Amino acid sequence: MGKLHFAILGPVEVTIDGVPVHVGGPREQKALAALLLATPRVVGVQRLTQILWDGESPITAKAQVHNTIARLRRNLAAAGADHDVISSSGPGYVIRIADDQCDAAIFEARDGAGSALTGRGELAAAADTLRGALDRWRGPALDGMVCQGLAGEAQRLNEQRLACLERRIEVDLALGRHADLTGELAALVAEHPLRERLVEHQMVALYRCGRRLEALEAFNASRVRLAEQTGLDPRPELGRLHLAILTGDPALQTPAPQTRAPQTRAPQTPAPQAPGPAYGLLPGLPRRILPRFVGRRRDLDELPSVLKENAIVTLTGPPGSGKTRLAVEVAAAAAPTFAAGVALIALDTVQDAGGVAPALLAVLEPLSDPWRAAQENVVRALGHRTALVVLDNCEHVAAECARLLGVLAAECPGVRVLATSQTPLGLAIERVYTVRPLSVPTEDTVAAVEASESGRLLVDRATGVDPGFALTDANSAQVARLCRSVDGLPLALELAAGRLRAFSVGQIADRLDRQLELLASRPEAMPADAAPTLAERRHGSLRAAIDWSYDLLTERERTVFARLSVFLGGFTLEAAESVVGDADLSEATVMDILGALVERSLVVAERREDPPGDMRYRLLESLREYATARLDEAGEADAVRRRHAWHFCAFTEQAEAERRGPERSRWLRRLGEEYANLR
């Protein structure tokens, strides 16, 4: 069988070894397009009916759908295609092809690869990859096909092509190729006069070619077009670029050629390139809390595709795990893929549900219509734009965030939301992504420290605080111990590094049994003349970060959280029910609350090997220290510790009885698992 290829980025076309294949009439072409756009998902008969008739369908529609698919399969098979390339599945049909057999899949893969290369600063490779993506296009998607049922998908692909084109031009500008772009941009602006991103690129290219007056005229022409056709003013980014050209901002000059120094240590994530002051900047981003990003290579590789496939992605994790910083880094790398840009909205200062929509509006469209409700203005501001909204610190207004994001998902199909929250928002379309602490050194050697994310972060921040600091054989064991003591929490590592002006790594590591006192502040992160925001105060103290989470708990959740601090090295559900439960807390209640604490990222759940699939739970050391203090304050410490002792006495007696029988190996593993609790 020859090479079968499908094309929908232009007129619908099928070829085998480059030879066109007749697939049938308009109905067969519509059905094929619907299957290709959905692959590898099944397209139901009802959906195919809507597409084939674009309105009221005949009584025999179901039978005619089956006949249409049968004719399509016969035509493909007659040309030499595998008869099973289209098969029935449940209530519909599915087309099973490889990614390299459809031009749309090839385009999207290369588009994503080009964006990833851009985020890593590999601009020349990114430009070539994005050109390769655009080369797949032969005209508008589904060109010539009259089909209301597929119009939305065609519009999405055409929008994605324009966004890819804008990213490719932006990368070319960053590479200093402005002279080659002026003619292309003039034609594109004429073809898409209301697309402000293209106008921005045109202004930058003209300015860098020494054609400053023409760059200013391009802005004025765009402003007039927008006013006449939409009644709107240019977006703020375009206005800032206009001001930068007027004042001759040095940041607009041609970027210097890129050079890469050879890497001698574990590779770090390069900062994303920004060709000009209005390109990819996150609105409202507090730059002074953004030092160089270190580690999380796997997260940075996975999250772009997760964000591409899901309208709402929520980053969850324990306090201090770096959710906000990771979200900002992912958003900065993804910015070129969103034609309307990226917006960061911090919700930590929002007091109640009524403040969520106004907080979004303050960033998205400060000069909105005051006579409309805030939610309506948010929807109008985003509309059909392709944008990324980063919603930070949602946990205390999670229900309202879920409600509002549900509206945005329905009304604004081009918008993606990246949220951070210590608890999932509870939306059916939400994808929850857990941000775990950084990996810690497995040994005390220099190589093990450099191989771990927490080790690299600590060394990076330590050299920033003390330029004379170096990782050596003499201090590697102390650095490794410090990383393990704080469970790889990024916030704790940054706070520990801030202490290195006054203390050695060994002095800090020796005193980490009092983490919340030792890691109480990070004064060097804040300029002396700057008043800290609420977010900066929270990120400046490990205790403050945990306080924020603790304050969101119910009284019963606080009680269980505090009582769990008596466990060392983790615990099972049965142990929690035995030790934490009492007359007011039944086993079922303890189970429910433990699940809630896992959801809120205050308890870590890990799968056990024995019995397979069961979970074991633990508190990170900083959280356990905090919970211990709360248990002491409640006056329950002695009583809960007695229950802990009784439980493990009973456990030991059972182990003694069982370990000489057929379950010997299992009970020896369980004794090892509970070693810290037994001690």
Side-chain angles (χ1 to χ4, degrees), residues 22 144 215 589 663:
H22 174 68
T589 303
E663 296 288 308

Side-chain angles (χ1 to χ4, degrees), residues 10 40 53 61 67 113 182 194 213 267 331 410 422 464 482 532 583 593 603 612 631 665:
W53 280 276
N67 291 335
T182 53
L194 300 182
L213 183 58
Q422 286 170 23
L482 195 157
I593 293 176
V603 174
L631 186 65
S665 59

Side-chain angles (χ1 to χ4, degrees), residues 164-290:
C164 178
L165 179 62
E166 289 171 339
R167 288 193 296 278
R168 194 225 81 207
I169 292 171
E170 185 169 330
V171 172
D172 280 340
L173 284 173
L175 290 168
R177 299 171 180 170
H178 42 272
D180 300 329
L181 294 171
T182 53
E184 179 185 9
L185 282 165
L188 287 170
V189 169
E191 184 180 357
H192 307 281
L194 300 182
R195 205 161 179 97
E196 293 176 83
R197 194 70 167 166
L198 289 174
V199 176
E200 289 180 32
H201 294 336
Q202 182 185 31
M203 291 167 65
V204 172
L206 289 170
Y207 179 77
R208 289 179 179 172
C209 288
R211 298 158 64 178
R212 180 183 179 195
L213 183 58
E214 292 177 65
L216 295 173
E217 288 175 348
F219 171 79
N220 290 328
S222 174
R223 182 174 57 80
V224 171
R225 285 195 302 269
L226 284 167
E228 290 178 346
Q229 298 183 41
T230 70
L232 300 175
D233 291 327
R235 62 187 185 140
E237 292 87 346
L238 200 60
R240 288 196 292 268
L241 178 58
H242 177 244
L243 179 61
I245 291 174
L246 280 172
T247 58
D249 191 331
L252 283 178
Q253 298 302 321
T254 304
Q258 288 186 309
T259 58
R260 283 187 175 273
Q263 293 181 337
T264 57
R265 295 194 175 188
Q268 306 296 330
T269 305
Q273 302 295 313
Y279 287 69
L281 297 185
L282 303 178
L285 185 64
R287 295 185 172 212
R288 57 176 174 256
I289 64 168
L290 289 180

Side-chain angles (χ1 to χ4, degrees), residues 348 393 395 422 491 534-541 544-545 548:
D348 52 332
N393 297 127
E395 52 272 348
Q422 286 170 23
L491 176 58
L534 175 59
E536 287 161 347
R537 289 197 298 272
R538 283 179 50 213
H539 288 92
S541 164
W548 169 268

Side-chain angles (χ1 to χ4, degrees), residues 309-368:
E309 295 167 3
N310 298 273
I312 300 170
V313 178
T314 303
L315 304 183
T316 65
S321 59
K323 299 182 292 294
T324 298
R325 186 66 179 90
L326 177 60
V328 168
E329 193 69 16
V330 170
T337 68
F338 292 92
V342 179
L344 172 67
I345 295 96
L347 298 179
D348 52 332
T349 58
V350 173
Q351 299 296 316
D352 52 40
V356 174
L360 269 74
L361 199 59
V363 174
L364 296 173
E365 193 175 344
L367 302 178
S368 56

Side-chain angles (χ1 to χ4, degrees), residues 45 52 61-71 91-93:
V45 171
L52 295 186
K62 185 174 181 180
Q64 291 191 49
V65 166
H66 295 316
N67 291 335
T68 299
I69 296 295
R71 287 194 299 271
Y93 294 92

